[in-house]
Amino acid sequence: YTAKKGLIVNSGKIFDVSLFGGKVGVFNFQQSQTVWTNIAVSCANPESYGVSLLNSHLKLASLNQLNMTKNFVVSAWINTNVSGIVQPVFCTADNGVCLYLDEELKITATYGGTTVKHVTTINLGYWNLVAMRLNLQENRLSVFRDGVDETVELDKTKIVVNTSAILYLGSDTNQNFSGKSGPLSSYSFYCRQMANKFAEMRNN
């Protein structure tokens, strides 16, 4: 929100596959009867900040450093015109953790030996928002394409992940993503149901 005196509120860039649009507003704390006007929302074209990953990749950090050892969501914008080959979006060198396009252009996620594949294909030549989500509290691994998910159950006894492995954007060190990628977003989360149980335990 921008007023005559300058910027008052700016949420910054938000990358969240759980947001599908809707009402936009501002929360007011201890300010009753406040009326906001001229609120604007914009969605930046990924083309403006996409980077080409043809014959190249980015070395990020270890899973430990990225806080990707427990519950997490990682998402990225991708754009490719190539099909018929496996294209890593982001992967560790040992493929223990990997989000990639398969030969049929279906986004696929792998974590510690468990794999989940989306039923739909991405759109060639267009920007697609893809993501993977790990929820160890509920034993679930999910893959997202433009906000729609596919989920499988995890067997914790069979999960083997090297948490010191380095994550690469656009590569698994053997093959590269054949297109462009927008910003990579990663964040950890907690299960609300589990948090509520802990709260009940503290209260009792």
Side-chain angles (χ1 to χ4, degrees):
Y1 171 79
T2 304
K4 294 180 180 179
K5 295 182 180 180
L7 186 66
I8 294 179
V9 175
N10 181 7
S11 67
K13 295 178 180 178
I14 298 175
F15 303 99
D16 188 342
V17 296
S18 68
L19 298 177
F20 294 95
K23 296 181 179 179
V24 176
V26 180
F27 284 107
N28 296 289
F29 298 97
Q30 298 179 348
Q31 294 178 334
S32 62
Q33 298 181 352
T34 301
V35 177
W36 293 84
T37 60
N38 299 328
I39 297 176
V41 177
S42 63
C43 184
N45 183 355
E47 189 71 44
S48 62
Y49 47 78
V51 294
S52 175
L53 294 175
L54 291 172
N55 302 316
S56 66
H57 62 268
L58 296 175
K59 181 179 179 181
L60 300 175
S62 72
L63 298 178
N64 278 325
Q65 292 170 316
L66 294 170
N67 199 21
M68 291 175 59
T69 59
K70 295 181 180 178
N71 298 334
F72 67 82
V73 176
V74 185
S75 63
W77 287 93
I78 59 171
N79 188 335
T80 183
N81 287 306
V82 179
S83 61
I85 61 173
V86 174
Q87 301 184 64
V89 179
F90 51 82
C91 295
T92 55
D94 60 3
N95 286 308
V97 176
C98 191
L99 183 71
Y100 62 94
L101 285 176
D102 70 1
E103 297 89 341
E104 299 176 335
L105 295 175
K106 293 181 178 179
I107 194 68
T108 306
T110 296
Y111 185 85
T114 300
T115 300
V116 56
K117 179 186 295 188
H118 208 280
V119 295
T120 63
T121 59
I122 69 160
N123 297 314
L124 282 176
Y126 293 90
W127 286 99
N128 301 264
L129 180 60
V130 297
M132 71 179 291
R133 179 177 65 197
L134 176 70
N135 187 339
L136 289 178
Q137 290 169 328
E138 296 183 356
N139 298 324
R140 292 180 180 178
L141 177 66
S142 304
V143 64
F144 292 81
R145 174 183 171 265
D146 293 331
V148 180
D149 75 295
E150 298 290 335
T151 300
V152 296
E153 295 291 323
L154 287 169
D155 184 350
K156 287 184 179 180
T157 63
K158 297 181 179 180
I159 295 176
V160 179
V161 173
N162 177 11
T163 58
S164 62
I166 302 298
L167 192 70
Y168 295 86
L169 176 62
S171 177
D172 59 5
T173 69
N174 291 317
Q175 47 200 352
N176 291 337
F177 184 79
S178 300
K180 294 182 179 180
S181 175
L184 182 72
S185 177
S186 172
Y187 60 94
S188 58
F189 68 96
Y190 68 95
C191 178
R192 186 177 301 276
Q193 293 88 342
M194 188 65 69
N196 290 340
K197 289 181 180 179
F198 285 142
E200 291 176 4
M201 292 170 62
R202 286 196 302 268
N203 293 335
N204 295 330

